[in-house]
Amino acid sequence: RQAAKGIEAFFCHWTGILSHLSREQGVIDADARGRKDLNVFLVAHKDDIRAVARLDARGKILFTVPFNRALVGKDMTDMPHVAAIIATKKPVISDVFTSAQGFDGVAIHVPVMKKGVFDGSIGILVRFDTVARRYLEDIRIGETGYAWVIDEKGTEVFCPVPGHTGKSVFENCGNFSEIITMAREMMKGRSGVTTYHYDRIRGETRETVKKHA
């Protein structure tokens, strides 16, 4: 619960900062001053965020920081979080996805209003491993306890088991019905306590062990 609150606070913090930036005139006008200010912003927060983008009302990129000419004008409405902010005109946080830069990231976008009319959004890209290291990697219970995270579709977005992250729990654990039952409850946003059986591999030895979750 403490980790969950920390992750929620992290994204609330950045949503608040973006909401403030969205009211800056340079950002609203998407002009040279806005790009300069966002460059300074990115440098100041390089440990947490990797890119900033200003999109227009149709979901096309006006500019990015760092600047990438190939992305200017690119239609981003195929991304669910971009389609969502165009539809709702409200702040949105994406699922974990593989970014164009090749790492797993989370995008946060807030609407930009120009004279009271929706004029697109400003968004940042956060490396998910930054979030994972800060809130999840250090969770250790006893000698073997650890944390793992799935999204609402069942994709494992954090798991210390090699090869699991980025794949569906139904693919990784499809042979273990107890895990799938638990995962379905997690995907519904429910909490609770359970046990399940899973294979443990040590060297060339494989054994089935009971795990507590």
Side-chain angles (χ1 to χ4, degrees), residues 19 22 63 102 132 166 180 190:
S19 295
S22 72
F63 67 83
I180 298 304
R190 294 173 180 168

Side-chain angles (χ1 to χ4, degrees), residues 150-167:
I150 59 175
D151 67 15
E152 61 185 4
K153 299 180 182 68
T155 301
E156 295 190 36
V157 295
F158 175 79
C159 182
V161 178
H164 275 211
T165 298
K167 296 180 181 178

Side-chain angles (χ1 to χ4, degrees), residues 22-44:
S22 72
R23 295 189 288 271
E24 295 290 329
Q25 197 61 48
V27 172
I28 294 172
D29 294 335
D31 58 16
R33 180 179 59 175
R35 292 192 292 271
K36 181 180 178 181
D37 289 346
L38 291 178
N39 265 297
V40 173
F41 168 76
L42 180 61
V43 170

Side-chain angles (χ1 to χ4, degrees), residues 5-19 93 108:
K5 288 180 180 178
I7 293 170
E8 291 172 1
F10 176 89
F11 287 112
C12 284
H13 168 75
W14 284 112
T15 300
I17 289 177
L18 281 177
S19 295
I93 299 171
I108 309 170

Side-chain angles (χ1 to χ4, degrees), residues 146 148 150 154 156 159 161 163-164 167-183 196-199 211:
Y146 57 86
W148 63 283
I150 59 175
E156 295 190 36
C159 182
V161 178
H164 275 211
K167 296 180 181 178
S168 169
V169 66
F170 300 101
E171 177 184 354
N172 291 333
C173 306
N175 294 329
F176 300 91
S177 61
E178 295 166 314
I179 297 179
I180 298 304
T181 298
M182 177 180 70
Y196 61 87
H197 293 82
Y198 194 68
D199 286 349
K211 293 194 173 187

